[in-house]
Amino acid sequence: MRALVVTAVAAEADSVLTGLTPHPDSPGPEPRTLPAGYLITRRDLPGIAFDVLVAGVGPAAAAAGTATALALAQYELVVSAGIGGGFEPAAPVGSLVVADALVAADLGAETPDGFLDVAALGFGHSVHLPPAELAARAAEATGALLAPVLTVSTVTGTAARAAALAARHPLAGAEAMEGFGVAEAAAAHGLPVLEIRAVSNAVGPRDRAAWRIGDALAALTEGFRVLGPVLANWGERHEHR
């Protein structure tokens, strides 16, 4: 099985790669450059190979980078991975969230009666669902919260915005900026998608002094230490169905 893991920035990719490197003394191949300058790095584990891509920040960059990689190689699974904000108290700083839905939370229109998403406007869909069994197994193995992850183009920085998102998506566990874009590209290629986020800050008023990016990146690494065998096992079972 071969999986594409899509991150936004190099620090996230490095954390994923560290988790996927069983023997740090022999880390594996160096990054290679895809068209348009995307960096991608391969790691091989028993039963599964991972290509870890740095695609850029935001849903558009994520979709473009993912689509580029998918056009150049065959994959069976696409994973959006990185850090993000957590909705407290369900997803505290340093915890992991695995998406049971990848939601385009601010793609739509503001109206006098409130926000309408793309689906409500009749212009497509605003949610991608990962394979339910895979998401549940990934959450169980990593100790993550299994909940919707919201994709936003503007990171939440006020209590009012946090409250509005929570009201529209009361079960949401985290927000980030890339998952839905990754999922759109995966869906265009007929591939399943998964999203995992490590929480670096609470969704709410912007307070950089309270961010714990290092803790979140460490949690992402630990998550991928155990995620590899879970994905390999799922891929083997999926292939034989």
Side-chain angles (χ1 to χ4, degrees):
M1 180 178 174
R2 190 173 182 186
L4 176 67
V5 181
V6 184
T7 65
V9 297
E12 293 171 332
D14 289 344
S15 294
V16 171
L17 289 164
T18 299
L20 295 175
T21 305
H23 306 291
D25 293 337
S26 54
E30 291 297 311
R32 66 187 191 278
T33 304
L34 300 183
Y38 297 109
L39 291 179
I40 192 166
T41 308
R42 185 179 174 108
R43 287 293 182 269
D44 292 302
L45 296 179
I48 188 168
F50 290 92
D51 284 341
V52 181
L53 175 72
V54 180
V57 174
T66 303
T68 298
L70 294 179
L72 296 172
Q74 295 288 327
Y75 295 96
E76 287 72 49
L77 175 68
V78 182
V79 182
S80 177
I83 66 175
F87 286 89
E88 293 186 324
V93 172
S95 67
L96 293 171
V97 180
V98 169
D100 61 6
L102 290 77
V103 182
D106 60 2
L107 182 62
E110 293 287 353
T111 78
D113 297 321
F115 177 79
L116 294 179
D117 63 23
V118 169
L121 292 170
F123 294 143
H125 51 268
S126 56
V127 179
H128 286 282
L129 300 178
E133 180 187 1
L134 175 60
R137 287 180 178 272
E140 181 180 11
T142 58
L145 172 69
L146 182 64
V149 175
L150 310 184
T151 298
V152 295
S153 295
T154 301
V155 172
T156 298
T158 66
R161 167 73 182 270
L165 286 176
R168 291 204 302 267
H169 307 282
L171 299 179
E175 75 164 22
M177 300 182 74
E178 292 81 32
F180 188 82
V182 172
E184 286 279 270
H189 285 258
L191 295 174
V193 68
L194 186 70
E195 183 171 11
I196 181 168
R197 291 287 162 183
V199 177
S200 60
N201 58 278
V203 176
R206 187 174 176 85
D207 179 10
R208 295 197 64 174
W211 293 2
R212 297 293 181 265
I213 292 176
D215 292 344
L217 291 173
L220 190 64
T221 292
E222 292 306 311
F224 271 88
R225 287 195 198 282
V226 298
L227 199 55
V230 173
L231 299 185
N233 180 263
W234 177 82
E236 183 178 354
R237 295 175 64 235
H238 184 75
E239 185 180 24
H240 290 98
R241 285 180 180 175

